[in-house]
Amino acid sequence: MIRFHRVCFHRASLSPLCHLSPPSASPKLSTLRCARVRRFMTSRSASRLSCLAPVSPGGGEDGGGSSSNVSASVSATATEDDELALGTGYRLPPPEIRDIVDAPPVPALSFSPHRDKILFLKRRALPPLADLARPEEKLAGVRIDGYCNTRSRMSFYTGLGIHQLLPDGTLSPEKEITGIPHGGKINYVTWSNDGKHMAFSIRIDEDGNSSKPIVWVADVETGEARPLFKSEDIYLNAIFESFVWIGDSTLLVSTIPSARGEPPKKPLVPPGPKTLSNEKSDVVQVRTFQDLLKDEYDADLFDYYATSQLVLASLDGTAKEVGPPAVYTSLDPSTDHKYLLVSSLHRPYSFIVPCGRFPKKVEVWTADGKFVRQLCDLPLAEDIPIASNSVRKGMRSINWRADKPSTLYWAETQDGGDAKVEVSPRDIVYMQSAEPLAGEEPEVLHKLDLRYGGISWCDDTLALVYESWYKTRRTRTWVISPGSNDVSPRILFDRSSEDVYSDPGSTMLRRTAAGAYVIAKIKKENDESTYVLLNGRGATPQGNVPFLDLFDINTGNKERIWESDKEKYYETVVALMSDQKEGDLRMEELKILTSKESKTENTQYFLQLWPDRKVQQITNFPHPYPQLASLQKEMIRYQRKDGVQLTATLYLPPGYDPSKDGPLPCLFWSYPGEFKSKDAASQVRGSPNEFAGIGSTSALLWLARRFAILSGPTIPIIGEGDEEANDRYVEQLVASAEAAVDEVVRRGVAHPSKIAVGGHSYGAFMTANLLAHAPYLFSCGIARSGAYNRTLTPFGFQNEDRTLWEATNVYVEMSPFMSADKIKKPILLIHGEEDNNPGTLTMQSDRFFNALKGHGALCRLVILPHESHGYSARESIMHVLWETDRWLQKYCVPNTSDADSSPDQSKEISDSADRVATATGGGNPEFEDHSKLRRSLLW
């Protein structure tokens, strides 16, 4: 699905970049082959022996052939010998899946500051595994490509093109940005404040490696690009910060220090043992962070790669170094571009927390790099409590006011950062000028009893302050007048964050000439009231119907000035497009950018112009997967046995007719969520008219294999009052899954004995638990990158705040590892070898597999070399899809997964289940309690 992306790629992107050396030959496979499943292995197919080496369009492929007829491909796949599946090499999924994944990606889009141009940022398809195989340093929670001196695994753009947005809403022919070296890898694209230039970084391949990035600039009018610096030896250091515009013609760039030598060498003989001490008996509880510093050599290496020299560079080529070399993590110009807010890290570092908790200095500099004052020097923060809403002590969330020149604001906790401490106020928000007069104390802007969550600025008469508390799900919005001490703050909204039906929407912001964003005030003709725009999701029991309200900030009265179509389309407000001028916006000049999509039509973008509500379509992107253009989608509702209303999205293949084709094999793919109330858990989220975006590892790919897909069935884990959600995790998990399965069986679209369950991360945890505690529901499971033993995450996981010692029974009962002896249905485990997500160490899958194998479970473990928590290389993704398809074709489609039954018993169960599905498909009252009968037959 096309979405408007941030132009600057996030530093922690999982997408890869540069070529280096050949990747590992294949994923690591482990399979338990039990005697009782040998009966399914009757023949070998020579065509299954071909393996995929480095991937190319003409590479070898396996399994499934080109037919879209499931039954035609099942016989070959289901009888495939496990010995062949253990062969070396990466494999390819069937063409009908592969063609969707290999479809060329659409460009990302960015509007110019004056909203008169659109930048198309072109992207490549899936990267090769060689990009991920590049050496990387894992330091303080950061993964670094030492050769490029960037974050490793970065995505990049391959080209830039500018379109003029014409008055009639159409786009001019593309003007390509020229001068970029062939094969240049583009990152960090940003517009200058006046929209006349763009800055970006480029890396090029050198002998199989990507070079260190160099900063380039492009003239928007001519389309010509050139290096920013005259010297070819000034390289960008993009470990933390890259560069920022100061005004229209100057950039502050984080560069690699010119005097930096070679990386420090690891000593052959360590200087001494590694020692961690807690002789002061401090209480320090931390979650299972990964990629931490291990020793002093790692600390030296972190300093080497992360230390930057800041350089002020003008478009005319002049440049000067400012400030000392340091580990700079943030550079933020004031709205008037007279000052800089500069953050940096320093020693002592930690071996138990990532760099985000290292000691941090925050300073104010002048725009030309002269030190003004130090705002704070925060100490090492190893002791932040694990409870939700706990924060670091001292000043935090330090920012410039968006509506005022050279004015800072920040929050300070009054509870020591510990959410379990009861105190009022809990947070205080302060404000102060960049250079206060001698003896001038910070001004108290507002006091909060919940946790501070940010401010939307407008002017001296209006700002909105946000606070929230996760434990109760309470969220409040305050109206304040920053320039008037005699105007008391008042609550604008006070509601539950879980109650999506009551969500009033978010205020729309306009861009100022300085490049900041403030609340857009709207003026109506002959009306002195103060209006703002509220952009809402519009959640209803029928699904989301997004809206735009004209809201009187003083009276609370509102007028709906735009609403999405409800019948066929799903539309959203993307951005305000009439904010070129300073000051209040006139209602009759309002212009907004909207998106529009349907179940079968991909997202396009439109301009909506007031007062006559003229609509102009500005994009016409082709359908990304026309072979599934006529898929069937329905948002279904059903009830859990405790009365909670549940929702799921049911997808059916193109051309499917239940009356003619009968029930299908079904893939159930979900992710549990925690709630504080049954009412909130019962609310509908999402829209039945949204376009079905299909990612590279999406369950929806199996629509091309004639599966029914139950996507995102809600699995609410509810803890009302003093009860914690996880106190009854298994009970509520099973009840939710039972209700979902019963519903698709009742509808006659899913075969009751051919339903597979799957999920990623916490969804994998869900999958393993369902196979352990509700084996009668599913034929097999697919669990990707999960955590299965909660005793390995003893200081909390997901939204669980209690420790293992405080809630031992919860940790043990929730862990499918502890129920490995109960898992009898086939389970496929997949995990990235370099998973860096807290809690989901690769060891989790290794140990779970061994526990399953030790109890004779039918299981398979696939470890993907070089992959992290999500998978990005084409070889890896294609192999994951092949493994998943093989598992589904073998253990779901033919219903041969009843490992605890004899062949005759399996056939009898399958035949009985078929009769149940047929009998209940039309709602026959004779089988009113069909779910109980079905479970008795399958169990």
Side-chain angles (χ1 to χ4, degrees):
M1 179 183 295
I2 303 166
R3 292 293 186 204
F4 276 74
H5 297 262
R6 287 192 59 175
V7 182
C8 180
F9 270 86
H10 194 278
R11 314 297 196 269
S13 171
L14 291 177
S15 301
L17 63 135
C18 338
H19 288 278
L20 183 64
S21 56
S24 175
S26 66
K28 299 176 183 177
L29 307 176
S30 301
T31 304
L32 175 64
R33 299 180 300 279
C34 304
R36 58 186 174 221
V37 301
R38 286 291 185 183
R39 59 181 179 273
F40 305 134
M41 307 170 190
T42 57
S43 66
R44 294 173 181 250
S45 171
S47 65
R48 306 295 178 187
L49 290 171
S50 57
C51 297
L52 181 65
V55 173
S56 65
E61 64 185 60
D62 111 84
S66 60
S67 173
S68 61
N69 186 313
V70 173
S71 61
S73 61
V74 167
S75 59
T77 309
T79 57
E80 179 183 5
D81 197 305
D82 273 352
E83 296 291 345
L84 298 179
L86 283 167
T88 59
Y90 286 87
R91 314 298 286 270
L92 286 169
E96 53 265 42
I97 290 179
R98 188 169 70 247
D99 291 347
I100 297 172
V101 177
D102 275 339
V106 297
L109 306 178
S110 172
F111 280 86
S112 66
H114 296 304
R115 308 294 195 254
D116 58 342
K117 298 177 181 67
I118 304 179
L119 178 65
F120 280 55
L121 301 104
K122 300 165 188 179
R123 300 179 284 185
R124 66 173 179 177
L126 297 174
L129 186 61
D131 284 10
L132 272 67
R134 291 178 53 86
E136 64 181 358
E137 304 290 348
K138 302 172 183 177
L139 304 169
V142 179
R143 293 188 171 182
I144 297 172
D145 184 324
Y147 191 89
C148 300
N149 215 105
T150 62
R151 295 291 182 100
S152 61
R153 304 166 182 256
M154 285 202 312
S155 254
F156 58 85
Y157 299 117
T158 59
L160 305 173
I162 299 175
H163 292 266
Q164 188 80 24
L165 184 57
L166 302 176
D168 62 355
T170 60
L171 301 181
S172 70
E174 181 178 271
K175 179 189 295 180
E176 185 178 1
I177 299 299
T178 60
I180 297 174
H182 177 71
K185 300 173 180 179
I186 304 168
N187 288 98
Y188 310 120
V189 186
T190 58
W191 296 88
S192 63
N193 291 325
D194 61 6
K196 294 181 179 180
H197 293 87
M198 290 184 299
F200 47 88
S201 71
I202 291 182
R203 291 166 291 127
I204 57 175
D205 283 341
E206 297 175 339
D207 301 323
N209 293 320
S210 283
S211 67
K212 293 179 176 65
I214 295 176
V215 181
W216 282 57
V217 290
D219 186 300
V220 172
E221 188 64 31
T222 65
E224 296 175 356
R226 60 175 175 82
L228 172 66
F229 297 106
K230 294 178 180 178
S231 170
E232 296 180 355
D233 297 324
I234 301 179
Y235 299 105
L236 180 69
N237 187 338
I239 299 300
F240 289 109
E241 186 61 272
S242 54
F243 51 79
V244 292
W245 285 94
I246 301 176
D248 299 329
S249 59
T250 303
L251 286 150
L252 180 62
V253 184
S254 177
T255 70
I256 296 174
S258 57
R260 190 181 77 172
E262 294 297 314
K265 295 187 180 298
K266 190 176 182 68
L268 293 177
V269 178
K274 178 181 175 181
T275 303
L276 299 175
S277 176
N278 191 34
E279 295 184 42
K280 294 182 179 180
S281 300
D282 295 327
V283 176
V284 178
Q285 299 178 350
V286 294
R287 296 210 172 187
T288 47
F289 299 117
Q290 300 195 49
D291 297 344
L292 302 175
L293 297 179
K294 298 182 291 296
D295 49 33
E296 285 300 322
Y297 167 72
D298 272 3
D300 291 342
L301 210 55
F302 177 76
D303 277 337
Y304 176 82
Y305 287 115
T307 298
S308 297
Q309 174 63 61
L310 301 182
V311 176
L312 273 173
S314 298
L315 295 180
D316 61 10
T318 60
K320 71 169 184 176
E321 294 184 353
V322 296
V327 182
Y328 295 108
T329 58
S330 176
L331 309 172
D332 187 13
S334 61
T335 51
D336 56 1
H337 295 158
K338 291 182 179 180
Y339 296 93
L340 296 169
L341 189 62
V342 179
S343 299
S344 61
L345 304 179
H346 64 84
R347 294 184 183 237
Y349 296 152
S350 170
F351 301 119
I352 64 172
V353 294
C355 59
R357 297 191 182 187
F358 286 0
K360 181 171 81 168
K361 283 183 184 178
V362 183
E363 299 172 336
V364 176
W365 296 3
T366 61
D368 59 357
K370 295 177 182 177
F371 175 83
V372 174
R373 66 180 176 124
Q374 179 178 290
L375 291 178
C376 62
D377 188 354
L378 302 175
L380 180 65
E382 291 182 333
D383 59 347
I384 299 176
I386 62 173
S388 298
N389 289 121
S390 293
V391 296
R392 191 173 193 159
K393 300 173 186 176
M395 298 173 68
R396 71 181 198 280
S397 302
I398 308 172
N399 290 293
W400 297 106
R401 271 187 65 167
D403 63 322
K404 295 279 280 187
S406 308
T407 304
L408 293 159
Y409 70 99
W410 66 90
E412 291 188 31
T413 178
Q414 306 301 299
D415 56 14
D418 189 347
K420 292 184 178 180
V421 174
E422 294 296 333
V423 64
S424 177
R426 189 173 291 277
D427 273 339
I428 298 179
V429 184
Y430 296 94
M431 183 171 62
Q432 192 175 47
S433 62
E435 286 193 81
L437 299 174
E440 181 183 340
E441 293 296 322
E443 176 186 348
V444 174
L445 185 65
H446 195 42
K447 296 181 179 180
L448 302 166
D449 284 336
L450 307 182
R451 188 63 79 202
Y452 168 74
I455 300 180
S456 293
W457 297 95
C458 184
D459 53 33
D460 269 340
T461 67
L462 175 63
L464 301 180
V465 182
Y466 308 101
E467 63 174 339
S468 63
W469 199 248
Y470 178 75
K471 202 74 171 178
T472 59
R473 309 302 198 270
R474 190 178 186 184
T475 178
R476 293 195 295 206
T477 303
W478 291 84
V479 178
I480 64 171
S481 297
S484 303
N485 292 329
D486 56 344
V487 178
S488 298
R490 61 183 176 87
I491 292 177
L492 184 64
F493 304 121
D494 188 349
R495 48 182 292 274
S496 168
S497 60
E498 289 185 336
D499 182 9
V500 294
Y501 292 169
S502 70
D503 188 350
S506 303
T507 52
M508 294 205 72
L509 307 179
R510 67 172 180 85
R511 190 182 190 277
T512 67
Y517 284 85
V518 299
I519 296 172
K521 273 188 178 180
I522 307 297
K523 284 295 183 182
K524 295 176 69 175
E525 192 172 0
N526 301 320
D527 189 339
E528 296 303 316
S529 299
T530 300
Y531 294 99
V532 298
L533 295 171
L534 293 181
N535 180 13
R537 291 177 294 178
T540 74
Q542 291 72 46
N544 289 357
V545 183
F547 62 82
L548 189 64
D549 281 349
L550 191 64
F551 182 77
D552 189 321
I553 202 73
N554 295 314
T555 67
N557 295 330
K558 55 188 175 183
E559 173 191 351
R560 186 141 301 179
I561 62 172
W562 178 90
E563 189 174 67
S564 170
D565 176 83
K566 302 177 183 178
E567 302 305 319
K568 180 180 178 181
Y569 291 101
Y570 176 72
E571 302 170 282
T572 65
V573 174
V574 179
L576 191 61
M577 299 292 285
S578 52
D579 57 354
Q580 298 92 335
K581 300 177 183 178
E582 289 294 307
D584 297 346
L585 305 180
R586 299 184 63 82
M587 184 65 199
E588 58 269 24
E589 296 176 353
L590 185 64
K591 183 191 297 185
I592 60 173
L593 179 73
T594 61
S595 67
K596 184 177 183 179
E597 61 197 78
S598 73
K599 297 175 183 179
T600 58
E601 298 172 52
N602 54 304
T603 307
Q604 306 295 348
Y605 294 93
F606 297 78
L607 288 176
Q608 308 257 354
L609 292 80
W610 271 256
D612 55 2
R613 297 290 304 278
K614 183 179 179 182
V615 178
Q616 299 173 339
Q617 183 171 347
I618 61 173
T619 62
N620 188 24
F621 295 116
H623 198 291
Y625 19 88
Q627 58 271 58
L628 292 180
S630 58
L631 62 80
Q632 303 173 50
K633 175 186 176 183
E634 181 183 359
M635 181 178 282
I636 62 175
R637 299 213 69 189
Y638 47 95
Q639 185 171 292
R640 202 164 73 178
K641 61 185 179 182
D642 60 359
V644 176
Q645 292 291 321
L646 304 178
T647 311
T649 304
L650 176 63
Y651 292 91
L652 298 170
Y656 170 72
D657 183 344
S659 64
K660 296 179 181 179
D661 301 329
L664 297 171
C666 177
L667 178 55
F668 172 117
W669 199 272
S670 192
Y671 192 99
E674 292 86 7
F675 291 88
K676 283 303 294 181
S677 75
K678 291 182 178 179
D679 289 342
S682 296
Q683 293 181 352
V684 175
R685 292 161 174 82
S687 167
N689 296 325
E690 286 182 272
F691 180 69
I694 302 179
S696 58
T697 56
S698 170
L700 300 187
L701 290 166
W702 275 269
L703 289 169
R705 298 286 278 162
R706 306 297 293 175
F707 270 69
I709 309 296
L710 194 62
S711 178
T714 50
I715 310 284
I717 310 300
I718 305 165
E720 293 187 306
D722 294 332
E723 182 185 42
E724 296 291 339
N726 288 335
D727 291 347
R728 295 189 298 115
Y729 173 85
V730 171
E731 173 190 336
Q732 296 186 70
L733 176 72
V734 171
S736 298
E738 284 180 348
V741 168
D742 290 344
E743 178 63 17
V744 291
V745 171
R746 183 192 67 79
R747 288 169 171 262
V749 297
H751 194 294
S753 61
K754 299 181 180 182
I755 301 176
V757 60
H760 186 93
S761 195
Y762 207 51
F765 177 71
M766 169 206 76
T767 297
N769 265 308
L770 285 173
L771 292 186
H773 302 290
Y776 48 84
L777 292 175
F778 302 106
S779 60
C780 63
I782 299 132
R784 300 175 184 167
S785 299
Y788 309 103
N789 183 353
R790 286 304 170 195
T791 68
L792 298 178
T793 56
F795 290 108
F797 57 90
Q798 203 72 2
N799 292 312
E800 177 58 66
D801 288 343
R802 297 168 295 181
T803 70
L804 168 63
W805 298 272
E806 293 170 328
T808 305
N809 290 341
V810 170
Y811 275 67
V812 171
E813 290 170 6
M814 286 183 69
S815 297
F817 179 87
M818 303 299 181
S819 300
D821 59 325
K822 298 179 182 178
I823 296 179
K824 306 301 180 184
K825 295 297 178 70
I827 183 169
L828 171 64
L829 304 174
I830 302 176
H831 217 119
E833 190 172 37
E834 304 295 332
D835 193 330
N836 64 345
N837 184 57
T840 56
L841 293 80
T842 308
M843 173 181 66
Q844 287 272 6
S845 287
D846 284 330
R847 293 188 176 181
F848 188 41
F849 174 78
N850 287 332
L852 292 167
K853 185 171 62 173
H855 289 89
L858 199 163
C859 52
R860 180 175 173 90
L861 171 63
V862 180
I863 302 295
L864 302 170
H866 307 298
E867 293 289 353
S868 187
H869 190 59
Y871 321 136
S872 55
R874 183 177 188 271
E875 293 94 327
S876 302
I877 286 172
M878 291 297 179
H879 191 86
V880 166
L881 299 177
W882 175 81
E883 290 280 0
T884 304
D885 189 67
R886 171 186 174 272
W887 207 252
L888 292 173
Q889 301 298 342
K890 185 170 185 179
Y891 298 117
C892 178
V893 174
N895 186 32
T896 57
S897 62
D898 299 284
D900 55 340
S901 306
S902 67
D904 291 338
Q905 288 173 324
S906 295
K907 182 178 186 302
E908 180 181 348
I909 290 174
S910 178
D911 291 343
S912 299
D914 285 345
R915 289 194 296 272
V916 172
T918 303
T920 61
N924 190 328
E926 181 181 350
F927 295 96
E928 183 177 351
D929 195 9
H930 62 278
S931 60
K932 186 179 297 184
L933 175 59
R934 176 187 172 280
R935 287 194 289 273
S936 67
L937 286 169
L938 294 182
W939 184 240

